[in-house]
Each structure stands twice: as C-alpha cells, then as structure tokens.
Amino acid sequence: MPFSSFKNIPPLVFYFASIICFVTANVSKDKSLSFYYILLGVGLVLFLIGLLRKLKR
C-alpha cells in the first residue's frame, strides 16, 4: 500500500499544516488571489482530515 505511512501521522500534524496554510493564504492574499483560494482549500481539507482522524481514534 503506497500510503501506509499516511496512517501513522497524528491528527495534530494535520491541524498545524492547516494553520500554516491559512496564515500563508492571508499573507499572500494581496499578491495572488488564486493562490489565496488554493491555500484556503488545502487548509480546509487538511483540517477536515485531522478532524476525521481524531474522531476515528
């Protein structure tokens, strides 16, 4: 299985990655609006993955 190490990542890592995406999105909002929306989407997905992994445990 190619994503076997993905299962071992704790949910807290996903939360921190989503925070980094949200902060980077807000910093880059004035420079590139499309990059802003991409980072918001990635941050939201990472947050939801962390939330779902937390609920499964």
Side-chain angles (χ1 to χ4, degrees), residues 19-33:
I19 290 172
I20 290 170
C21 284
F22 291 142
V23 169
T24 308
N26 282 329
V27 168
S28 68
K29 185 177 183 180
D30 294 333
K31 296 176 184 170
S32 175
L33 200 58

